[in-house]
Amino acid sequence: MGDGPTGIVMMNLGGPKDLSEVQPFLLELFADREIIQLPMQDWLGPFIARRRTKSVQSNYRDIGGGSPILKWTEEQGRGMIERLDALSPQTAPHKFYVAFRYIQPKSEDALKAMKADGVKRAVAFTQYPQFSCSTTGSSLNELWRAAARTGLQDAFEWSVIDRWPTHPRFVEAMTKTVEDGLTQFSEDDRDDVLVVFSAHSLPMSVINRGDAYPGEIGATVHEVMERLGYGYEYMISYQSSVGPVPWLGPSTEQVVKDLGAKGRKNVLVVGIAFTSDHIETLHELDIEYGELAHEVGITNFKRAPALNGLPLFQDALAEVVAEHLASGEACSLQYGLRCPGCTNEQCRNILHPVAPYRRMRVGANGKP
Amino acid sequence: MGDGPTGIVMMNLGGPKDLSEVQPFLLELFADREIIQLPMQDWLGPFIARRRTKSVQSNYRDIGGGSPILKWTEEQGRGMIERLDALSPQTAPHKFYVAFRYIQPKSEDALKAMKADGVKRAVAFTQYPQFSCSTTGSSLNELWRAAARTGLQDAFEWSVIDRWPTHPRFVEAMTKTVEDGLTQFSEDDRDDVLVVFSAHSLPMSVINRGDAYPGEIGATVHEVMERLGYGYEYMISYQSSVGPVPWLGPSTEQVVKDLGAKGRKNVLVVGIAFTSDHIETLHELDIEYGELAHEVGITNFKRAPALNGLPLFQDALAEVVAEHLASGEACSLQYGLRCPGCTNEQCRNILHPVAPYRRMRVGANGKP
């Protein structure tokens, strides 16, 4: 055994595991000022959350009564640490902890469990392959706040895995899901398939302040297509936009409509920015856009399986962490780079970093 | 000698070579309905072009009285065909022809010169590495129209090189320009440099109908950064937006302002979507944003040299064409893929293609 235990905190959005958790989940989501800014948020946030509860519950009912994200994350975590102990014996034993953003287990739960397990060295490992302030950024800011709330701000030495959009094993695993998705088409139809890589959209205000997300989505997609020998037509689209502000497009929903109008018959949708099935794949893509595709005449509208329990993906997770631990670094160089338009003083912090790192200041005048 | 002559048509925007050409250039630009849609375009286009002439002339005066793009394209073309004759003797001799979109030499000039030279096999080679309907798409549509106008619609067998955003030699050449740009900083400052990859922006309406451009920009940038070992902070921004409609951001101008406010001192701007110097590098980046950077306190604001006469880039051009000719293909699979939101019946055509290719139809109902 090595210098462990090393704690690996797997950070993700999370989802309600049953219908009773839908409202608490929505309340937390609409309270997150780093994602959603509402006028009179303390009042309007809960109002919107409560008003949406029934329809969101109905969506979860359609997919079996809850989100499978905790189940998959735990399976991924088990596979990851098993491989990690072999890959990086000097930091073994490794233990994983789940920190969801809007539902249990939350950052507090992960932190307390790590403390109880005697962890001193902790890695905050985003489960979003491509970085956005709206996803990984919000999760990390919450993690540091939770450490303060629980009095555990001095308990761990931290490093951060903030992005891995082009890690070769991740790309290999994602490519495998596309290949598996393609087997759903007859050999005759396969050449005709258009692969639509769909990622969660972001408001243009986030894009325009300098978020790295769309560039990193482009990078992942091209790496996957290179492995496929650019043998299929493909495109990128963005799903799940809500509300009246402009979001990054093209919208997946509109793309489905337009492809139908143009007579496309074979479409494979690939969730490129999320590693497990969740409401946006199981309901939005499979059910809503599946029905829409049927209406507009796309006869073969299929989705590539999410990474979920794919062993190759557990290899990827373990390799990403092992390489990170071996580097001795606190984070990627990119993590310290604030969005030029950022005004959030919390952004890009690391609590007790394991090594020095450079963080761009807000409104600083000296060398960053 | 091989089966040639093979004609390589180098397609690009073009630029006025002296001040007298500024107005004709602007008149053509504002008449291009594939790029700019104006109410009463036949009247408003010339009005805007004439009103802008003086200030644009002044910009060209600042950079020496004209655009260097013809000079560089011809130098690139000479280097390319010299290498091509060696790389692909079976299609030799190769001859290059310049087809600018808004100024001489135009598509007509290239077509007539090819006819006079006895060319039968022609390659339409975009000089925009990343595909957009606004650049490569418009140039190709114009090329086929020009063939009809000149009665040369049956004169050549065509194929199209429609994009090469991640060609390894292109990435290598682009990386070389970044490395050359970095030498402008003292060794002390170099670690602190933020590399800003700036590309020409596009209206959100173009992005939202499904243009491939931002994804391909992301792909090029990550390939370059991978070659640099991700050893510098970097980001993508978009320049040169005009008019009242929303464009893709973050805007390079705003990024410069914000970086100044955050105290960044060392910034290297890299033009990632254009292969030669032109008014957007020499005036907008160097002069306008250079002055802005000075005002906001970015003490070392530098630009990486454009590819221009770099021999490595001529290697890249030759390899791209040689690989294309060896493939026997009419175009990339992506070329036939219309933007889902496309309503332009001219898009994605190839006149007399050298091989069959699949083109998605507008409003078709059968198999594309």
Side-chain angles (χ1 to χ4, degrees), chain B residues 69-101:
Chain B
I69 190 169
L70 181 59
K71 180 190 95 170
W72 289 125
T73 306
E74 288 178 335
E75 184 165 329
Q76 290 157 359
R78 281 190 298 270
M80 172 182 73
I81 58 165
E82 193 180 292
R83 288 159 172 82
L84 255 179
D85 286 347
L87 279 175
S88 180
Q90 64 280 18
T91 50
H94 302 86
K95 294 176 75 80
F96 77 92
Y97 304 87
V98 178
F100 286 151
R101 182 67 188 84

Side-chain angles (χ1 to χ4, degrees), chain A residues 141-261:
Chain A
N141 295 350
E142 172 63 12
L143 184 62
W144 315 136
R145 287 192 300 261
R149 286 198 300 267
T150 50
L152 292 170
Q153 57 274 68
D154 300 319
F156 315 105
E157 263 203 323
W158 283 100
S159 64
V160 170
I161 302 174
D162 47 278
R163 71 196 73 204
W164 32 289
T166 56
H167 189 279
R169 197 72 68 199
F170 162 62
V171 173
E172 188 184 345
M174 193 54 87
T175 306
K176 175 77 169 66
T177 69
V178 181
E179 287 166 343
D180 288 348
L182 287 164
T183 64
Q184 299 170 78
F185 297 84
S186 73
E187 269 186 52
D188 249 21
D189 288 331
R190 209 165 296 160
D191 275 353
D192 182 56
V193 171
L194 168 62
V195 183
V196 176
F197 293 95
S198 182
H200 205 292
S201 188
L202 288 176
M204 284 308 297
S205 57
V206 174
I207 303 295
N208 288 341
R209 79 181 171 217
D211 206 83
Y213 186 74
E216 296 191 3
I217 294 286
T220 304
V221 166
H222 277 80
E223 296 272 351
V224 169
M225 288 310 305
E226 191 173 302
R227 287 201 186 233
L228 293 167
Y230 291 97
Y232 300 88
E233 290 167 274
Y234 66 96
M235 61 172 296
I236 298 171
S237 66
Y238 293 93
Q239 68 182 87
S240 320
S241 62
V242 286
V245 299
W247 289 63
L248 182 61
S251 105
T252 305
E253 183 176 8
Q254 189 61 47
V255 163
V256 171
K257 287 182 195 164
D258 290 339
L259 290 173

Side-chain angles (χ1 to χ4, degrees), chain A residues 125 161 164 167 170 315-325:
Chain A
F125 182 16
I161 302 174
W164 32 289
H167 189 279
F170 162 62
D315 295 345
L317 291 172
E319 287 181 31
V320 168
V321 178
E323 289 162 19
H324 168 77
L325 287 170

Side-chain angles (χ1 to χ4, degrees), chain A residues 65-85:
Chain A
S67 170
I69 189 167
L70 181 59
K71 179 190 95 170
W72 288 126
T73 306
E74 287 178 338
E75 183 166 330
Q76 291 158 358
R78 280 191 298 271
M80 172 183 74
I81 59 165
E82 192 180 292
R83 288 159 172 80
L84 254 180
D85 286 347

